[in-house]
Structure formats: C-alpha cells, structure tokens
Amino acid sequence: MKFTKCSGLKGEVTIPGDKSVSHRSVMFGSIAKGTTEIHNFLQGADCLSTISCFRSMGVAIENNGDTVIVHGNGLHGLEKPDTTLDCGNSGTTTRLISGILAAQDFSVTLTGDASIRKRPMKRIMTPLSMMGADIRSLHDNGCAPLVITGKKLHGIHYQSPVASAQVKSAILLAGLYADGETKVTEPYVSRNHSELMLSCFGADVRTEDTTAVIQPAEELFGQKVLVPGDISSAAFFIAAGLIIPNSEILIHNVGINPTRDGIIHVCRAMGADIELLNQKHDGEPTADILVRSSRLKGTVIGGAIIPTLIDELPMIAAMACFAEGETVIRDAAELKVKESNRIAVMVENLTAMGADVEETEDGMIIRGGRPLHSAVIDSKLDHRIAMTFAVTGCCADGETEIVGAECVNISYPGFYGDLERLMTK
Ligand code: S3P
C-alpha cells in the first residue's frame, strides 16, 4: 500500500463499531441468560476471534454483518471446547476470556498468533491465581499458550500495578463467580466499558475513584447493545483532518466515554479546530466530531490521561511532528507491550521519515516542524502503526510504502477505502 501527499480531505465518514465494546457484548451475552442483540458490531478480525472462541464453547451466535445475536448459555452453561481456543491477535480476547475460564468446570488451552504469544499474561495470571485460579503458561514464560482449569474462586482486593482495562475486566469477570466481593484498584482509571455493560446485564458493580467493585452474580440477563463508533479508529481521521491542509471532516457517531476521550483533550491543548456535535447518551456517550486543518502547537501528555488515549498515542506522536515546538509523551511504558513495541516502532519509522523524535524510558519527545519525506514503513503487522503511517504518508514528500498494510483488518477493515473517499481530487 502506497501513499503520497494529499491536497485535502473533505466530507463525512462513519467509523466502525468500538472494538472494546464489541468484544464485551459477545462475551457478556454468551454468559448471560437469554438473547443479546448487538448493533454496529465491529467485524474486525479481533472481535471475530471472540465470536469463534464462544462458539467453540457451545454458544449459538448469529453474525448477520451489522447485527450479531448471541443466544446466551447463562453463567454456568459454557461447554468444554474440543480444541485449543485461538484468540488470534487479540489481547482483549485472551485476557478477558481468562477471567471467565478460571471459574468453569473444565480445563482449556488458549493461544493466539506470534504477537499474542509474546505479550505479557502474568498481569492476569497473578491476580487470578490469588483468587484461586489454576492458570499456567505452557512454556513457563508468562505468555500464551495458557492452560486454565476452572476452580472455585475467592473475592480479593487487587492493587493493580498497571492501569489496564484488560486486567481489571479479567478480575471483574472472575469476580462474578467468586464467593465474595472482588475489588480492583488501579493507579489511574482505565476504560470502564466492562463496568457499564456488566451493570446493564444485571451485575452489581460500582466504582469508587480508581477502584471497581463487583459482587458475585446469580445470573446475567441478555440485553440490546448499541455499539458506538470507535474513537481509537476515529483518531486517524481526527489527526488527518487536522494535519492535512485544506481539510474538513465530519466523523459520525463516535464514542466519547470520558475514559476514552483523551485525544480530544490533547487536540484542544494543541490548538486544534475540533468540535463535538449532536451529543447523545445511549448506554455509552457519543458525538459527531468535526475537525478542520489547524496550526498545532506542542504539548505535554502524561499521568492520568494516558489510559484514556493509550491506543491513540502512535497517531498523536505522528501528529506532533506537524506541530510547532516540542511534544512530550511520558508515563506511557505500556506502549511497549501492545501489538508491537509502539515506542520503538514509532521512533524508528518517524526517524526514517525525517522527524526529530527521541525515545525515552516511558514515551518519546517529538520536536515538530521538520518536513517529513517518504520511507518504507514496516508496520510490524500492528494495525495502529499501519493506519498511523497511511495518514502520515499523506503529509510527506514522495511515496510512502506500508509493508503489512492488510493488518488494519484487525480493527478497521474498510480503513483505506474510507481514507481514499475523503481525498479531494
Ligand atoms: C482494551 C484495553 C487496552 C487497549 C486495548 C483494548 C480493552 O489495553 O490498549 O486495545 O478492550 O480492554 P490494556 O488493558 O492492556 O491497557
């Protein structure tokens, strides 16, 4: 896939459904009683991995494209799968499903692709083991394949060393099956989709500052879920609209949950022309986002805002190359354990395009204002890296080539088509 300098992006785009919300709707629907009807489900490879795992455990799931219907088996109705569960590239599938599997009356092996088999799983193995789970890393390296044998679980109060919604959600899901209250305290609040959706499904879950608390459940009940557009996918069009001259883009129906909306705050701090229109609240808050080309200035991004924009940081880092002055990203060491080491990969690729960017322990420092030129970009099969450099390639001299470009199928299968449609000819 190749990209050249673009003279402007104009028009409207509707972003596919939120990945985090789509995963959860299938998982919670599978362990609920009754039917869960999911609208605007993300048909990305990651969410399809979740569907396939639950189908293997005897859950009937109809996938009609935009709408997915889950015929739930109830909290105790999952069946032992015949084979190893394949989570593909999806960290969310692997970690959240582990919380559920820890309490079943069977044993199962979970694995995934080469990237998933390198990602840290100790972060869920430790708290789940504290709850009484039998969860082992097959090669004893803290990574998948994981072998999980269901056990009786106990409630715990876990002080998580990382702000991670995947860790928090795995513990909360195990907490549904525990013999008492389960609490998770995080250094900063991570995305709260599990808490919001579990509550709609009938669980007793509440939040106190940075602590989520759940009570054991008798049963969950199937719901209708409207999945908002994914702000992490919208991020590429937000950035593109701001940094490509002569652009004006209206991005429809984007989820703006306050635990996810950090990119909007950062854009405003950078001086962006960005407006939220048509705000609604239907389970999750949504808005249409209007962006216009802007003169940006550098900013400092760190602390509590980091979990609210963690997946957007690659695009924000590239956007900072087009801002005046210095942008500092700190407290973002979690980037190193995503689908790729996103600090190293961003620094390497932005440097190859002529940017002034420095790697730090927990982030990067970008000195904006240098014109960028084309390069061959190795996406490392990381979907967010591929999309970041498609947008960056539209602002650089020459022809930028993205290797492994098809990995966008993980979270946004129609991305290149949507980007091309907005290009003014
Ligand atoms: C996710 C949580 C985040 C995020 C990931 C999706 C989720 O990961 O990066 O893309 O759906 O819970 P961490 O929980 O590891 O921070």
Side-chain angles (χ1 to χ4, degrees):
M1 195 63 86
K2 291 182 178 157
F3 295 87
T4 52
K5 202 169 234 175
C6 161
S7 55
L9 295 183
K10 287 252 156 67
E12 305 185 10
V13 59
T14 300
I15 299 296
D18 187 275
K19 182 157 79 68
S20 296
V21 175
S22 296
H23 279 299
R24 286 160 173 78
S25 58
V26 167
M27 293 188 185
F28 304 171
S30 294
I31 57 168
K33 202 168 135 177
T35 302
T36 291
E37 190 181 303
I38 310 163
H39 294 269
N40 198 34
F41 182 83
L42 172 63
Q43 298 286 336
D46 267 13
C47 299
L48 297 178
S49 294
T50 292
I51 290 188
S52 127
C53 287
F54 282 92
R55 279 184 176 150
S56 313
M57 292 191 285
V59 183
I61 304 175
E62 297 169 50
N63 186 354
N64 309 318
D66 183 60
T67 308
V68 169
I69 316 267
V70 182
H71 301 276
N73 284 21
L75 263 188
H76 300 280
L78 296 179
E79 293 161 16
K80 181 178 168 62
D82 294 335
T83 51
T84 296
L85 293 180
D86 184 0
C87 300
N89 188 245
S90 175
T92 309
T93 310
T94 313
R95 297 198 178 106
L96 269 63
I97 214 172
S98 296
I100 296 174
L101 295 173
Q104 304 307 310
D105 58 3
F106 52 78
S107 176
V108 61
T109 304
L110 277 184
T111 192
D113 68 9
S115 151
I116 253 325
R117 283 184 269 115
K118 283 196 217 118
R119 296 185 63 189
M121 292 298 153
K122 274 227 171 82
R123 51 180 57 201
I124 53 153
M125 293 168 66
T126 301
L128 291 176
S129 300
M130 287 166 68
M131 295 178 80
D134 178 353
I135 174 166
R136 296 188 288 118
S137 158
L138 193 65
H139 304 307
D140 219 6
N141 59 357
C143 300
L146 299 177
V147 183
I148 305 177
T149 305
K151 293 281 173 207
K152 291 245 170 302
L153 301 180
H154 317 295
I156 56 166
H157 183 177
Y158 188 62
Q159 303 280 343
S160 179
V162 283
S164 158
Q166 294 180 358
V167 171
K168 174 175 63 178
S169 303
I171 300 168
L172 294 178
L173 286 165
L176 289 171
Y177 296 89
D179 58 6
E181 180 175 273
T182 298
K183 290 189 179 192
V184 188
T185 300
E186 304 185 275
Y188 299 116
V189 178
S190 64
R191 64 190 66 190
N192 65 358
H193 305 300
S194 293
E195 295 89 308
L196 294 179
M197 202 188 291
L198 281 171
S199 169
C200 291
F201 275 70
D204 180 352
V205 53
R206 62 178 203 278
T207 306
E208 297 159 359
D209 296 325
T210 60
T211 302
V213 187
I214 196 161
Q215 306 299 328
E218 292 280 311
E219 207 60 90
L220 299 180
F221 302 95
Q223 298 294 315
K224 181 169 172 182
V225 179
L226 300 179
V227 182
D230 197 328
I231 192 166
S232 300
S233 299
F236 302 106
F237 292 106
I238 294 174
L242 297 176
I243 63 178
I244 300 175
N246 311 309
S247 296
E248 178 170 330
I249 314 177
L250 182 62
I251 311 162
H252 287 287
N253 185 37
V254 182
I256 52 160
N257 177 319
T259 63
R260 294 286 299 281
D261 70 351
I263 184 169
I264 294 168
H265 297 282
V266 164
C267 288
R268 288 195 173 130
M270 294 178 87
D273 183 349
I274 178 166
E275 284 177 64
L276 299 187
L277 309 169
N278 194 21
Q279 294 196 38
K280 291 187 188 146
H281 209 299
D282 208 343
E284 291 273 350
T286 60
D288 297 338
I289 301 180
L290 180 64
V291 286
R292 297 189 189 91
S293 315
S294 302
R295 274 179 69 104
L296 301 177
K297 57 179 192 295
T299 189
V300 177
I301 308 166
I305 201 171
I306 292 294
T308 74
L309 45 64
I310 188 74
D311 292 340
E312 292 68 82
L313 283 171
M315 190 66 255
I316 290 171
M319 185 165 80
C321 296
F322 300 91
E324 209 179 290
E326 189 174 90
T327 293
V328 179
I329 298 172
R330 60 165 86 108
D331 305 319
E334 276 294 295
L335 287 178
K336 296 181 188 171
V337 292
K338 295 293 178 189
E339 286 84 330
S340 67
N341 176 341
R342 288 183 178 160
I343 296 180
V345 173
M346 284 307 300
V347 170
E348 184 186 322
N349 284 322
L350 286 176
T351 304
M353 294 183 81
D356 181 352
V357 48
E358 184 187 321
E359 181 169 346
T360 63
E361 265 299 290
D362 61 354
M364 49 197 125
I365 300 171
I366 303 121
R367 290 169 207 94
R370 278 203 200 169
L372 300 195
H373 54 75
S374 60
V376 175
I377 303 295
D378 183 354
S379 70
K380 307 277 182 200
L381 299 182
D382 180 335
H383 53 132
R384 303 212 191 273
I385 298 296
M387 290 186 272
T388 292
F389 283 95
V391 171
T392 311
C394 292
C395 303
D397 290 325
E399 193 175 68
T400 297
E401 184 183 343
I402 301 186
V403 179
E406 69 288 346
C407 64
V408 305
N409 287 337
I410 290 294
S411 63
Y412 195 162
F415 174 73
Y416 298 118
D418 284 350
L419 180 61
E420 208 186 308
R421 251 188 331 97
L422 293 170
M423 291 180 183
T424 49
K425 299 289 180 281

